[in-house]
Amino acid sequence: MSQVVVPDIGDFKEVEVIEILVKPGDAVSKEQSLITLESDKATMEIPSPAAGVVKELKIKTGDKVSKGSPILLLDDAKAEAPKPAEKRSAAQPKPQTGSAQTVTVPDIGDFKEVEVIEILVKPGDAVQKEQSLITLESDKATMEIPSPAAGVVKELKVKTGDKVSKDAPILVLEGKEERRSEPRPEAPEPAAPKAAPPMPTPATRPVPREPREETAVKSHASPSVRKFARELGVPLAQVQGSGPKGRVLHADVQGFVKGALQGRAAGRPPDKGGQGGLPFNLPAWPEVDFAKFGPIETRPLSRIQKLSGPYLHRNWISIPHVTQFDEADITELEAFRKAQTAETEKKGFKLTMLAFMIKACVTALREYPQFNASLERSGESLIIKKYFHIGVAVDTPEGLVVPVVRDADRKGVFDLAKELGEISKLARDKRLKAGDLQGGTFSISSLGGIGGTAFTPIINAPEVAILGVSRSVMRQVWAGNEFRARLMLPLSLSYDHRVIDGATAARFTSYLVSVLSDIRKSLL
Ligand code: CAO
């Protein structure tokens, strides 16, 4: 049994453990990466000094470690003879005639035949001293090679995919400055360990990258994750990192692939619910220090907001929404509702317009069954449901929840009103069970009690439509020969345009309007 400790990591001290790549019981091979450390300038994977089985972890993510800090206990690990310390230096220009100089690969320690994975400049580019020229990647480390001097790139001597070692020519630089003979003083030099473990490998050269374009988005990932992503053909820039500082982890790459496959299977883009990210090449989210402009206060999102946010986002971007607006003349219905309220109040519940809305929606859904449906995962067919479970959006102090009124077609308006009162109370008291939120076939979101004239509700996938209800208002409506004061209820129907076309949506809302204008239709 031996204790694996952090080897000599050069100038780095109190470096954060950002990823633990093994767990107790794992068999590891010699040189297999155990943990990833990250300072503000470099990412390093610490490899195992020997083969063995991990017995016990001595660190956790977020710990700060330095040389000698224990990492884990390894069973049957055999200590290795220490390797001689390697020096790393910046790319050295070779003397040339005139002002042109060939920039070569500097001493990169043990690494030989390392692949060029990115070329960051092109002929004609003016480069600054220390600006990164190319990125090299071995199976353990990613290194950027900086320019030893300012100048203009005359000619590239490498292309992506080339394998290079120390002294391989990178490019010809027409210098503005004289070449220098000293390595960059500020470049930390991760030295070889003096103890048993082999040398940790810097995952990024300790110089922050210069963005090549304003929109350049750089992913933050360890070399092994980069390699993994490349093997699978995953564009890292499109993977949402779930690690510290947005770092892309193995699981994120796996999730991206899973999401992409599922998305393809369902005939739609990969969704974020599966940690997949989206196939959009968007610029990075702006990082703004708001406090610079005035006082601020940071409030954490509620649990419900955190849970429902990604699903709302997924639905919003993966379903082609169209919203159809209409309005229903509910003058008679409102008079009828008011006439009944005395009775329902005696019975202890409130009869609001929403109970009638549910009833009217069920009638319209029966007439237009494609609205009471879900798109099959293959994207090839529509699953029409013969039951009518209506989701009702309820606003709670914690956020929005959508409990489901089951078998609404078999319930009378009074029963629906009573149930609405009960579920909205349960929702606000946080006493809904998971089952209360499942199985919906169509949803209604009513903001009528609050205000507004129209809105565009987000479809509650896998449903294909949602009805938004806004506040009813008395207006003068032309009745063919005269204006009449009528109570008009605004409706906003969002529908999935893959499944429902515009004409059908207009027919559905017109029919719904006719039912609300004469609720007796729901008896037919
Ligand atoms: N037009 C005018 N008045 C309306 C109305 C409408 N469309 N709908 C309700 N009202 C009135 C009610 O009659 C009631 O009036 P009184 O106080 O005089 O009795 C008042 O507004 C409040 O109604 P309510 O909100 O208590 O009851 P409800 O049945 O209409 O709605 C519920 C219940 C749970 C849906 C609602 O309280 C709620 O949470 N709504 C918000 C839903 C939401 O946030 N949706 C946004 C989702 S984003 O897609």
Side-chain angles (χ1 to χ4, degrees):
M1 185 86 68
S2 68
Q3 176 157 273
V4 178
V5 298
V6 175
D8 187 344
I9 48 173
D11 282 347
F12 299 99
K13 285 191 183 64
E14 293 291 304
V15 188
E16 189 174 340
V17 178
I18 58 158
E19 213 178 342
I20 297 181
L21 307 165
V22 291
K23 56 183 186 319
D26 280 1
V28 295
S29 52
K30 187 178 163 193
E31 299 285 332
Q32 183 177 329
S33 297
L34 301 174
I35 57 169
T36 310
L37 304 181
E38 187 175 82
S39 75
D40 58 339
K41 294 252 181 57
T43 307
M44 287 158 273
E45 287 185 9
I46 305 293
S48 180
V53 174
V54 177
K55 277 284 138 194
E56 191 191 334
L57 288 173
K58 296 281 186 188
I59 39 155
K60 55 185 187 324
T61 313
D63 282 0
K64 299 276 169 64
V65 295
S66 306
K67 180 188 164 194
S69 304
I71 299 173
L72 50 81
L73 285 181
L74 194 68
D75 200 8
D76 291 325
K78 280 188 242 130
E80 289 264 302
K83 290 185 182 176
E86 296 281 357
K87 278 265 174 197
R88 278 150 203 260
S89 60
Q92 295 299 304
K94 287 274 162 69
Q96 294 280 308
T97 47
S99 63
Q101 49 186 271
T102 300
V103 178
T104 59
V105 175
D107 187 347
I108 47 172
D110 279 349
F111 299 101
K112 285 191 182 65
E113 293 293 303
V114 188
E115 191 176 337
V116 177
I117 60 159
E118 224 179 340
I119 296 179
L120 307 166
V121 291
K122 57 183 187 316
D125 279 1
V127 296
Q128 302 298 315
K129 187 175 158 185
E130 298 292 327
Q131 182 177 332
S132 296
L133 301 174
I134 58 170
T135 311
L136 304 181
E137 189 172 90
S138 75
D139 59 339
K140 290 261 178 54
T142 306
M143 290 159 271
E144 288 181 11
I145 305 295
S147 180
V152 174
V153 177
K154 279 279 129 193
E155 188 193 339
L156 287 173
K157 297 281 191 187
V158 282
K159 55 185 188 322
T160 314
D162 281 0
K163 299 277 170 60
V164 295
S165 304
K166 182 185 169 212
D167 290 335
I170 300 172
L171 51 78
V172 177
L173 191 71
E174 199 161 60
K176 286 182 187 158
E177 276 182 19
E178 280 307 297
R179 69 186 178 85
R180 56 170 202 178
S181 54
E182 292 302 311
R184 284 168 300 112
E186 70 272 38
E189 297 175 351
K194 295 181 182 77
M199 190 168 87
T201 51
T204 56
R205 207 193 115 277
V207 170
R209 278 165 174 257
E210 299 278 333
R212 275 161 289 148
E213 297 163 30
E214 271 192 16
T215 52
V217 180
K218 266 297 138 205
S219 308
H220 197 39
S222 71
S224 55
V225 171
R226 286 180 184 279
K227 187 158 181 267
F228 182 51
R230 257 204 332 279
E231 279 166 7
L232 299 174
V234 170
L236 261 189
Q238 291 175 19
V239 181
Q240 181 128 6
S242 65
K245 299 179 199 157
R247 187 172 189 79
V248 178
L249 308 178
H250 254 91
D252 298 326
V253 176
Q254 282 166 337
F256 181 91
V257 173
K258 218 164 126 189
L261 290 172
Q262 282 170 353
R264 207 167 299 156
R268 55 178 190 242
D271 61 46
K272 207 176 157 242
Q275 295 288 304
L278 284 155
F280 300 146
N281 195 12
L282 298 175
W285 197 259
E287 273 186 44
V288 181
D289 177 8
F290 301 107
K292 268 199 338 205
F293 305 103
I296 58 164
E297 179 197 335
T298 305
R299 286 189 191 168
L301 294 185
S302 70
R303 198 182 61 85
I304 291 179
Q305 284 174 317
K306 282 193 224 158
L307 283 174
S308 61
Y311 292 101
L312 285 167
H313 189 195
R314 176 198 63 189
N315 298 350
W316 175 246
I317 53 186
S318 62
I319 302 173
H321 283 69
V322 180
T323 307
Q324 170 76 14
F325 302 103
D326 211 328
E327 53 182 5
D329 181 341
I330 56 162
T331 318
E332 264 86 52
L333 184 56
E334 177 64 1
F336 180 65
R337 183 186 75 85
K338 280 205 170 130
Q340 307 306 313
T341 49
E343 191 183 335
T344 61
E345 267 161 28
K346 258 191 257 157
K347 291 187 172 154
F349 62 92
K350 201 166 158 186
L351 181 63
T352 63
M353 190 51 69
L354 197 51
F356 292 98
M357 293 299 313
I358 294 177
K359 202 74 209 161
C361 282
V362 169
T363 307
L365 291 171
R366 277 191 200 280
E367 193 71 17
Y368 293 90
Q370 63 269 54
F371 288 81
N372 198 50
S374 287
L375 187 58
E376 203 195 14
R377 280 191 74 81
S378 67
E380 303 275 313
S381 29
L382 195 62
I383 301 166
I384 310 273
K385 294 153 199 175
K386 305 286 181 177
Y387 50 87
F388 299 87
H389 298 343
I390 309 297
V392 178
V394 177
D395 176 38
T396 77
E398 282 277 293
L400 182 72
V401 285
V402 190
V404 174
V405 176
R406 269 161 221 286
D407 298 312
D409 54 320
R410 297 196 221 149
K411 293 174 182 163
V413 173
F414 280 8
D415 292 333
L416 292 171
K418 210 169 147 201
E419 192 171 333
L420 269 176
E422 285 161 6
I423 56 169
S424 45
K425 181 159 185 343
L426 283 176
R428 284 166 187 151
D429 294 348
K430 297 190 244 174
R431 286 195 293 122
L432 284 173
K433 295 190 202 78
D436 298 334
L437 304 167
Q438 290 163 2
T441 58
F442 178 87
S443 293
I444 302 178
S445 175
S446 173
L447 294 173
I450 303 167
T453 53
F455 63 109
T456 53
I458 298 177
I459 297 164
N460 194 8
E463 296 165 22
V464 294
I466 178 168
L467 182 75
V469 183
S470 297
R471 192 167 193 79
S472 56
V473 279
M474 278 305 259
R475 301 205 273 105
Q476 290 292 340
V477 176
W478 184 247
N481 50 354
E482 58 173 351
F483 278 104
R484 285 198 197 142
R486 309 295 295 171
L487 184 65
M488 304 302 290
L489 179 72
L491 304 174
S492 310
L493 177 87
S494 291
Y495 58 92
D496 184 339
H497 207 352
R498 294 172 302 178
V499 175
I500 295 159
D501 56 33
T504 313
R507 286 189 195 106
F508 177 87
T509 42
S510 301
Y511 185 73
L512 182 62
V513 161
S514 74
V515 176
L516 287 164
S517 303
D518 186 353
I519 200 73
R520 290 172 302 177
K521 281 194 175 157
S522 62
L523 301 173
L524 301 174

